[in-house]
Amino acid sequence: MNVNQSAPPVPPFGQPQPVYPGYHQSSYGGQPGSTAPPTSYGAYNGPVPGYQQTPPPGVSRAPPSSEAPPASTAQAPCGQAAYGQFGQGDVQNGPSSTVQMQRFPGSQPFGSVPLAPVVSQPAVLQPFGPPPTSAQVTGQLAGMQISGAVAPALPPVGLGYGPPTSLASASGSFPNSGLYGSYPQGQAPPLSQGQGHLGAQPPQRSAPPQASSFTSPASGGPRMPSMTGPLLPGQGFGGPSVSQPNHVSSPPPQALPPGSQMTGPPGPPPPMHSSQQPGYQLQQNGSFGQARGPQPNYGSPYPGASTFGSQPGPPQPLPPKRLDPDAIPSPIQVIEDDRNNRGSEPFVTGVRGQVPPLVTTNFLVKDQGNASPRYIRCTSYNIPCTSDMAKQAQVPLAAVIKPLARLPPEEASPYVVDHGESGPLRCNRCKAYMCPFMQFIEGGRRFQCCFCSCINDVPPQYFQHLDHTGKRVDAYDRPELSLGSYEFLATVDYCKNNKFPSPPAFIFMIDVSYNAIRSGLVRLLCEELKSLLDFLPREGGAEESAIRVGFVTYNKVLHFYNVKSSLAQPQMMVVSDVADMFVPLLDGFLVNVSESRAVITSLLDQIPEMFADTRETETVFAPVIQAGMEALKAAECAGKLFLFHTSLPIAEAPGKLKNRDDRKLINTDKEKTLFQPQTGAYQTLAKECVAQGCCVDLFLFPNQYVDVATLSVVPQLTGGSVYKYACFQVENDQERFLSDLRRDVQKVVGFDAVMRVRTSTGIRAVDFFGAFYMSNTTDVELAGLDGDKTVTVEFKHDDRLNEESGALLQCALLYTSCAGQRRLRIHNLALNCCTQLADLYRNCETDTLINYMAKFAYRGVLNSPVKTVRDTLITQCAQILACYRKNCASPSSAGQLILPECMKLLPVYLNCVLKSDVLQPGAEVTTDDRAYVRQLVTSMDVAETNVFFYPRLLPLTKSPIESATEPPAVRASEERLSNGDIYLLENGLNLFLWVGASVQQGVVQSLFSVSSFSQITSGLSVLPVLDNPLSKKVRGLIDSLRAQRSRYMKLIVVKQEDKLEMLFKHFLVEDKSLSGGASYVDFLCHMHKEIRQLLS
Ligand SMILES: [Zn+2]
């Protein structure tokens, strides 16, 4: 019996090379009863048998009809040129109706209340419930504190477009801090209550604490309070001290023993991980978690870090001041600290419950038994033992899972393990797959399931002796016993109809209506496909892709093409009966690219000519998808449809849509209808697609409203992607489109997939977010899943958890590879469990929390008024922070805002979510933009949501030109812009180059090849290629930023005080937005007020 023929060629913990042993074994086909395929899978059925070979009625060889002249609607000029190149709709604008205003009646504009100081602290170990005693407090790590009475400026109630208020007055150092142009700098806006205090009293800066007191925690460990922050001046204010992230302003620095942080949580994984096995060994034996020594990271309260609890005296009542933006937690600082502390050492996954480095930190991962954070990130790595605790904290327990994540070249793909004809070894009861946490007992003859505790027999062929520690002696030779992530070859039991799958197919379906032809899209696309078809995904060392291709063009009828290799010329077959779609040909429709190359090339040459004179403006949409799906069904394979579509499908056909865009619905209870599909037909269609393993990628080229909310239903439910190029023009947009297309066509996809997340007793997966379909409550069905897509899973308690055994997740993805191989990819992750709330707060990951919260909120807009969704988010955030304050923070005055160290960025990031286009759209954000962003975010991973909500702003001339590294980012606020500098801003979808008005002439010349600022073309999207260091550096940086993102970011050059600057400023998310979104400072004050209300 062959068990694991894939002995790793390298020692156990080297990063193994994937191997594909035994795939061609002929011994498959056994039907072991014990390895039942996932239950849901049985529901699949094979292709419909009744495929008809005879050409059905309606088929003709007539050329495409030229019909009605272009309808006026379809020709409407693109009214939003500026946004056309900017179609992703990230503009931060919106109506003035803001939560704060609605929530707080005029008498109480938020922020006008004397504000509280902000303190961020690491959680401390202390009993939750009663307030900490002083003795307990002495055991604390210091946090940062921001205290000081604050009255953030607020727009007057009811005044939607509040002028720059707090920020403007806050800095004083930037000439351009008057925001948004409409209010000249320094000009007083209409005063609100709070504004009376503004500027009246510049912040007094107390002496900064000694830097040495805050030197970084040991690197490599769980992300601990970062104490390396710049020692920004504390806010003396005479009152409650306004503290600063990462430092304490009062008590005086000397109260803090230098280095006290160092005695806190030991950072790095203990030495044992970096050497060989201890630690790992423990995991192997003894039931998971048991034999382990005290968790190195959390074993004891931070000894020695004694000072912080007792500091701030009672706040003295003072006139409210405003917060200094420098004194509140800075995303930039947190990111920098994590890079410095954790970027140099590999993240070794051998220890349960370790918080990984931030997504913004470059680090390598060594798999020693838990899945890499590239595959799974959790909101917390320490789960409350009871549901009561979890409810009290309100911290969502969720995992963001990216099962097919691409890895950096230094990290190898998961091993493929072959358990032979009996298939992967699983628990008989819960069907969990063999993993490092299963416990072998009785000399190795049986194993106890780490998920359900069931005792299982070890099949004779899998038997192995145990060593003196109880570990199998072959543990390190077997990926499934030693690694967090690996793959199993699936047997035929895991295949539809008990039949190994055929290789998948790609079908290109091209809109050839008037708009598509006129914009140049069709010609561009056909030309590109000729070469792109040589780069279809391949597996391993395969010489050519196994994927077959087919072609369809359409307007209000469909044209299928026979591109069989034996033909001299392609043949077209027209199906005009779109109400009852069928595929008019089977043989010759899906072909191998190299065999049919001549015919395909001929077809792609002819398509633009055939339709060059079309006047057909109407399109169908659902019948196109239906046709592609039927073609895959007839070919008995899974696959992907690439749809290139331009307009609202108004032609008479199933799935016909009408223009129902109505901006008057914004901020009403009916706003949710804008996000809902206008017909149920697409859900039904999507369900059929999923059953066939037909994934749909949609490229949209709209000149006006196309109802993205409805058109994206099928891509969304089939695991596909949507791309949108508003007002597409070849000359302006071809680079972005072609770049996205190339990447999309080439990316590796798992087809016809089912994902199941199993958990150990006590918690279970209860909710799922992402691009997929679910027909029951446990199985995530994905017609296709690529390496960019994530599935977010929320967990709830159904029993009490145990600190000793912790909690386990196992994500199993069954899929068909690009070569048609059926496989299971397994990711395992062990988490800690806690009885102290402080442990929860100390092991959270805010970036992941925000990813979850954004997805939760974006789904919420389908069913609830946007205001309700926003309020829910704010309330939840306040509850999370209030619970920390009540149970974990040091005693201090109610006037202080105390934030957990790991969550000190929660307010700033949450504010960015609240201000996003989906939840608070500006006047120029279209309904389609909102729907588009909504569905994009649903599948984003943590790194993508992080930069999407809080864009990266990089100054370009501050760092030496020679410097090869990326310049350090600055905070996304206008205050941080210097008019003598140039900045890049990116958020994963958009890329701006902002040029200050006083930039040196030499810089202008070097970058733009013009002699003065005024000669720079605003809106420029390509920098001239110039042979000088600055030009090379900036273009290199742009390339590097693009390479980091999954979608091409088109560059827009913005000149200071130019019209386009408004666009750019929407991304300065710490500032108050034109649509009424609060500034960071104001929002923090608001959040503090909410927390105080909860505590009182
Ligand atoms: Zn089990």
Side-chain angles (χ1 to χ4, degrees), residues 807-824:
L808 279 181
L809 314 179
Q810 182 179 76
C811 166
L813 178 81
L814 174 64
Y815 71 100
T816 300
S817 76
C818 291
Q821 196 178 50
R822 200 73 175 150
R823 291 194 209 142
L824 281 148

Side-chain angles (χ1 to χ4, degrees), residues 654-720:
K656 172 185 176 180
L657 301 179
K658 59 180 191 295
N659 187 334
R660 44 103 188 219
D661 188 14
D662 184 358
R663 299 185 61 83
K664 288 196 295 295
L665 298 182
I666 294 174
N667 288 319
T668 70
D669 283 354
K670 286 188 177 166
E671 184 170 3
K672 61 191 175 195
T673 61
L674 297 175
F675 297 109
Q676 296 165 347
Q678 63 171 288
T679 156
Y682 288 95
Q683 274 109 328
T684 309
L685 181 57
K687 197 173 159 184
E688 291 179 58
C689 288
V690 172
Q692 182 53 42
C694 170
C695 175
V696 178
D697 279 358
L698 176 60
F699 293 78
L700 285 170
F701 305 86
N703 287 343
Q704 58 181 358
Y705 179 74
V706 289
D707 200 344
V708 172
T710 305
L711 296 189
S712 64
V713 165
V714 177
Q716 175 76 22
L717 292 177
T718 61

Side-chain angles (χ1 to χ4, degrees), residues 427 429-432 449 451-454:
C427 169
R429 185 197 289 162
C430 73
K431 304 296 178 193
C449 176
F451 294 93
C452 73
S453 302
C454 176

